[in-house]
Amino acid sequence: MTGAGAHFIAPLGDVDGAPRLRGEVVLAAGHGGVVQATLRATAHGTVEAWVNGAPASDELLTPGWSSYEWRLRYREWDVTALMADTTVVGLVLGNGWYLGRLTWSGESGYYGDERAGYAELRVRFADGYEQVFGTDDTWTAAPSDTTADDLYDGQHIDARRRDDAWLRPGFVSPDWTGVRVVNAGPAALEPYIGPPVRRQLELEPVEVFRSPSGRMLVDFGQNLVGWVRTTVIGERGSVVTLRHAEVLENGELGVRPLRTARATDRFTLSGRTDVFEPTLTFHGFRYVEVDGWPGGVEALRTRGGLTAIVIGSDVRRIGTFACSNELVNRLHENAVWGMRGNFVDVPTDCPQRDERLGWTGDIAAFAASAVYLFDVNDFLRDWLRDLALEQAHADDLVPNVVPDVLKYVPPPEGLGEPDSSAIWSDASVWVPWALWQAYGDRRVLADQFASMTGHARRVRSKLSPDGLWDTGMQFGDWLDPDAPPDQPWAAKADPHVVATLCAFRTATLVAAASDVLGESAASLEFTAMAAAVRIGFTEHYLQDGVIVSDCATVYALAIVFGILGDADRAFAGERLAALVAQARYRISTGFAGTPFVTHALSQTGHVDVAYRLLLQTESPSWLYPVTMGATTIWERWDAMLPDGTINPGEMTSFNHYALGAVVDWLHTTVAGLSPLEPGYRRVLIAPQPGGALAWAETAIDSRHGRITVRWDVRGDALALRVEIPEGVEALVRMPGADEIVVGAGRHEWAGML
């Protein structure tokens, strides 16, 4: 499992903070020059590697967070250019997810109780000879300049402990001790499927100021995820402290939403010019409270020294949108920033408080938007591998979070043992299907087919004889804006109606995936399941067109999921439009309904109502947070109240992408671009202008090339311009005109609204 020449190793004794591990090797002589050198590394914790004093890679937080019980990933880096006759390999180990704090429990070490590093250097010479050097009991260990590190709480770095000599050949010090080989554990070593985490952007402060209480605050102008690179000179032994938060409240740092996460970095100065980057932690923040800065506010204002480093998994931006309404543009940008900050190796719910878990419901809600904004095919395939592993070891139960650390945490009082839950567990089906539609890569369906069918069969086992999913705990329409702040599950929508609708969608999609893969027996099986659920829903939850609980979410799901006949679908559209108007065009849906409500309206001829819902600025609405200065999507529609105070609910994240799922509607309906075949081999271009927008445009770098759409309205005239790459066919549908099919090239049309 560890491979020839390498073992997991740990320091012999206790080490103060993050340990350094050091190994030295003399390259074999007589084989010609080095042709290729590759360093493979992983850790129980996180690992940063150096070769002969240079970083082996710019990647961060390796090996990320996977289901460590069964799967531990490694990275391989080309270090050929760093080789020398005598080569030194150095590692620094952080706590990471393996050993650090996880969940709101206050506990740590869910996966193990000590840090351990693994490295294997393979050197190939001109004559084909290969030399292998790896971590073993000849290595040595010592403390690093990091005296404490935790993903939730922050990192402490003491620059007085820095010394680069350890990365040079021949280094010997009595302060260094031996190491021991430790058990590698049961997990299989596997390469990453997805991309690594890297630095993405740098932001400078937009303001440095004093709070009403006299504290020094720095505003970076954008809610982001990462850390602050600090360049400072001050008295030796003095300490600069940075505390991070997303918002201000009454002019002071708003730390209550962090709950128990300290989100604080401390830097002890050496007396020289020091540069600190706390790469063994990360924070979700816009504002930083600074204590101990030499020279105070004026010195920081005039000389600078703080730069925000934005990190995230290295996914490529592929989809864009813009329109004539700047509030809508900011909403779209907020969704992009929210996704960027929550795609740090795992698709998390939030990046700042004592949680940061891979909640399956969030990505189930947002998947259709995510696959358009960024190329997340490999990122989510990697995560889905962990989902399938967790599921396979839990009797096909898809957990609420992946990796499932919550299986080690007692469930909240009154909830009982976890079981399959609609939307959350449905991520096992909905996410692979979104990937297939966006990228046309059959591997995701093939790789996940056992997981998809396993979940669908488990759901079928939960159905009543009437075909209803009417038992068990359900999150339902989580965070319905009409639910009390301390009861996010108390939605208007009956949770079992929601669950039954989701069971129908899941069965339908698994049947469709079976068709793609040529699994005819499975196709028949899940088509029959969908039919049984439809009968049960129609007989028990639908009467004269009215769906039980008679609220926006149940009608939106019923319309978009396709469970209704034509007459009931038309009634549902009318009823949904009436309910939206009754709510004064304010949002009345939670996690379940929000991704689908505008689609349901526009699909039933109520695009004007959908635009009014989109453009509402009073709370609850998509644009209310924008008017309050939001730069990411919020967990609650009113996470910040109109008076500038923070919502009193315990869960109040200001970076929670799920409710930004409306951007899928911006792409597919407002701008009007969607795939007719998986991977955009055939596309539908069908914009639906409205909402007094003068223009809108979108573009996506598909697997077949860049596709662009732009429309402009002048009075009653509509102008449409599209660009189609080679090999792609577009069905164009303009208001009031016949459909036409076009191929590659630039095309323009003019018509009347």
Side-chain angles (χ1 to χ4, degrees):
M1 182 166 58
T2 57
H7 305 273
F8 279 87
I9 61 172
L12 273 176
D14 292 335
V15 171
D16 177 21
R20 290 177 288 174
L21 303 176
R22 181 185 186 278
E24 184 173 319
V25 61
V26 177
L27 298 190
H31 298 286
V34 173
V35 174
Q36 186 176 37
T38 303
L39 181 66
R40 175 182 293 188
T42 189
H44 295 162
T46 61
V47 60
E48 297 179 345
W50 284 263
V51 176
N52 292 323
S57 169
D58 62 353
E59 297 171 11
L60 304 166
L61 299 170
T62 303
W65 189 10
S66 56
S67 294
Y68 296 132
E69 301 94 335
W70 310 288
R71 177 178 181 242
L72 178 63
R73 297 173 299 174
Y74 61 81
R75 292 294 294 168
E76 287 188 341
W77 304 302
D78 185 345
V79 293
T80 308
L82 304 180
M83 289 295 98
D85 291 343
T86 299
T87 288
V88 177
V89 179
L91 309 177
V92 172
L93 306 180
N95 281 313
W97 295 272
Y98 196 95
L99 290 137
R101 279 220 292 151
L102 290 174
T103 81
W104 46 83
S105 68
E107 301 297 323
S108 59
Y110 284 108
Y111 298 102
D113 58 7
E114 68 175 340
R115 310 183 216 210
Y118 172 97
E120 182 179 85
L121 178 67
R122 289 187 173 267
V123 184
R124 185 162 55 86
F125 295 87
D127 67 354
Y129 178 78
E130 186 176 77
Q131 182 178 3
V132 179
F133 170 69
T135 41
D136 60 21
D137 58 9
T138 66
W139 283 50
T140 55
S144 68
D145 60 351
T146 292
T147 59
D149 67 281
D150 185 85
L151 297 179
Y152 289 1
D153 293 334
Q155 186 170 347
H156 302 174
I157 305 175
D158 189 341
R160 298 171 301 179
R161 293 168 50 156
R162 289 178 170 169
D163 182 2
D164 293 335
W166 72 289
L167 294 171
R168 294 194 288 269
F171 170 80
V172 177
S173 170
D175 297 328
W176 284 67
T177 63
V179 300
R180 68 186 193 284
V181 173
V182 301
N183 190 334
L189 284 184
E190 296 184 5
Y192 275 56
I193 299 171
V197 176
R198 286 192 169 98
R199 297 168 181 84
Q200 301 296 326
L201 297 166
E202 297 187 4
L203 299 179
E204 298 299 324
V206 298
E207 187 179 9
V208 179
F209 57 101
R210 291 279 184 191
S211 74
S213 68
R215 297 185 179 275
M216 186 189 308
L217 295 174
V218 178
D219 177 8
F220 286 98
Q222 171 65 52
N223 196 12
L224 61 97
V225 175
W227 52 72
V228 174
R229 185 178 64 222
T230 302
T231 304
V232 60
I233 183 169
E235 181 180 349
R236 181 177 177 84
S238 60
V239 177
V240 172
T241 301
L242 306 183
R243 192 181 189 193
H244 307 74
E246 296 179 300
V247 295
L248 301 179
E249 186 174 33
N250 299 320
E252 306 289 345
L253 201 67
V255 297
R256 181 172 59 81
L258 302 178
R259 300 192 302 215
T260 66
R262 297 187 184 95
T264 300
D265 298 327
R266 291 187 174 89
F267 306 136
T268 302
L269 310 189
S270 69
R272 303 181 296 273
T273 299
D274 294 313
V275 179
F276 298 95
E277 271 208 59
T279 56
L280 303 182
T281 188
F282 65 87
H283 312 291
F285 68 98
R286 172 175 172 170
Y287 299 93
V288 176
E289 183 181 282
V290 183
D291 183 61
W293 191 265
V297 168
E298 287 306 316
L300 185 55
R301 281 177 180 159
T302 57
R303 294 194 292 271
L306 300 181
T307 300
I309 307 299
V310 180
I311 70 167
S313 288
D314 203 12
V315 291
R316 180 173 63 93
R317 180 77 185 273
I318 58 171
T320 60
F321 171 87
C323 70
S324 59
N325 187 309
E326 285 306 315
L327 292 179
V328 175
N329 291 340
R330 183 67 245 189
L331 169 67
H332 191 273
E333 192 66 9
N334 289 358
V336 171
W337 274 97
M339 179 177 169
R340 178 183 286 127
N342 279 294
F343 274 44
V344 180
D345 198 64
V346 168
T348 55
D349 59 329
C350 62
Q352 74 298 90
R353 68 186 181 216
D354 54 357
E355 191 165 350
R356 314 186 195 187
L357 305 178
W359 284 95
T360 48
D362 295 64
I363 190 59
F366 195 73
S369 299
V371 297
Y372 192 97
L373 294 174
F374 291 85
D375 183 346
V376 294
N377 191 41
D378 291 342
F379 174 88
L380 287 174
R381 285 179 57 233
D382 201 316
W383 179 76
L384 285 166
R385 172 130 174 78
D386 288 316
L387 181 150
L389 283 168
E390 298 281 3
Q391 178 185 1
H393 289 84
D395 192 26
D396 270 329
L397 167 61
V398 177
N400 295 325
V401 299
V402 174
D404 185 19
V405 68
L406 292 184
K407 61 178 174 283
Y408 303 119
V409 178
E413 186 177 353
L415 288 185
E417 291 302 314
D419 204 343
S420 299
S421 56
I423 303 173
W424 277 253
S425 298
D426 289 323
S428 59
V429 174
W430 298 8
V431 174
W433 188 255
L435 292 172
W436 161 243
Q437 289 294 301
Y439 310 123
D441 185 349
R442 292 175 79 255
R443 289 179 302 170
V444 68
L445 297 184
D447 291 346
Q448 298 303 127
F449 192 63
S451 167
M452 297 169 77
T453 56
H455 166 62
R457 289 178 180 128
R458 185 179 174 94
V459 169
R460 187 174 59 201
S461 76
K462 304 295 178 183
L463 300 180
S464 71
D466 294 321
L468 308 178
W469 193 359
D470 57 1
T471 60
M473 194 284 292
Q474 296 289 347
F475 291 100
D477 199 24
W478 187 256
L479 286 171
D480 178 328
D482 295 319
D486 59 345
Q487 298 179 43
W489 61 86
K492 298 182 294 296
D494 184 308
H496 297 128
V497 175
V498 170
T500 301
L501 286 163
C502 291
F504 176 81
R505 184 183 197 223
T506 285
T508 302
L509 294 183
V510 175
S514 302
D515 290 336
V516 173
L517 297 173
E519 298 283 352
S520 57
S523 176
L524 291 172
E525 175 186 356
F526 295 108
T527 299
M529 176 181 167
V533 173
R534 185 199 297 268
I535 291 170
F537 176 87
T538 302
E539 290 183 353
H540 296 278
Y541 289 151
L542 183 65
Q543 184 174 5
D544 297 328
V546 177
I547 300 174
V548 168
S549 61
D550 192 34
C551 62
T553 287
V554 296
Y555 290 109
L557 299 186
I559 291 166
V560 175
F561 293 176
I563 202 170
L564 302 174
D566 291 344
D568 288 328
R569 188 173 189 271
F571 179 93
E574 293 292 338
R575 183 60 183 146
L576 175 60
L579 287 167
V580 171
Q582 183 178 311
R584 292 180 293 164
Y585 304 97
R586 300 182 187 186
I587 290 288
S588 61
T589 52
F591 263 47
T594 296
F596 304 106
V597 63
T598 48
H599 287 291
L601 288 165
S602 56
Q603 288 173 14
T604 54
H606 301 284
V607 70
D608 56 328
V609 177
Y611 270 106
R612 291 190 68 174
L613 187 63
L614 170 72
L615 298 175
Q616 173 65 260
T617 57
E618 295 182 7
S619 181
S621 69
W622 283 294
L623 296 186
Y624 165 74
V626 176
T627 67
M628 293 294 290
T631 61
T632 43
I633 301 296
W634 294 351
E635 180 175 22
R636 296 179 182 272
W637 302 108
D638 58 348
M640 180 166 285
L641 304 179
D643 64 1
T645 59
I646 297 170
N647 186 294
E650 181 186 0
M651 303 183 311
T652 310
S653 161
F654 291 88
N655 194 349
H656 231 84
Y657 59 72
L659 296 179
V662 68
V663 301
D664 179 54
W665 186 75
L666 298 181
H667 305 147
T668 60
T669 303
V670 175
L673 175 60
S674 57
L676 281 177
E677 287 185 8
Y680 290 82
R681 170 62 184 80
R682 292 181 63 242
V683 300
L684 173 65
I685 297 174
Q688 297 190 48
L693 297 187
W695 60 269
E697 62 184 14
T698 192
I700 187 170
D701 292 323
S702 77
R703 292 296 191 264
H704 303 283
R706 187 169 181 81
I707 305 167
T708 66
V709 178
R710 178 181 171 114
W711 57 260
D712 293 84
V713 171
R714 292 180 179 85
D716 292 330
L718 172 65
L720 176 65
R721 289 178 289 165
V722 304
E723 187 168 352
I724 308 298
E726 290 293 334
V728 173
E729 182 180 273
L731 174 65
V732 180
R733 188 180 295 154
M734 287 185 65
D738 293 335
E739 295 179 349
I740 60 172
V741 176
V742 298
R746 296 181 178 179
H747 308 278
E748 297 186 10
W749 297 271
M752 302 300 291
L753 291 174

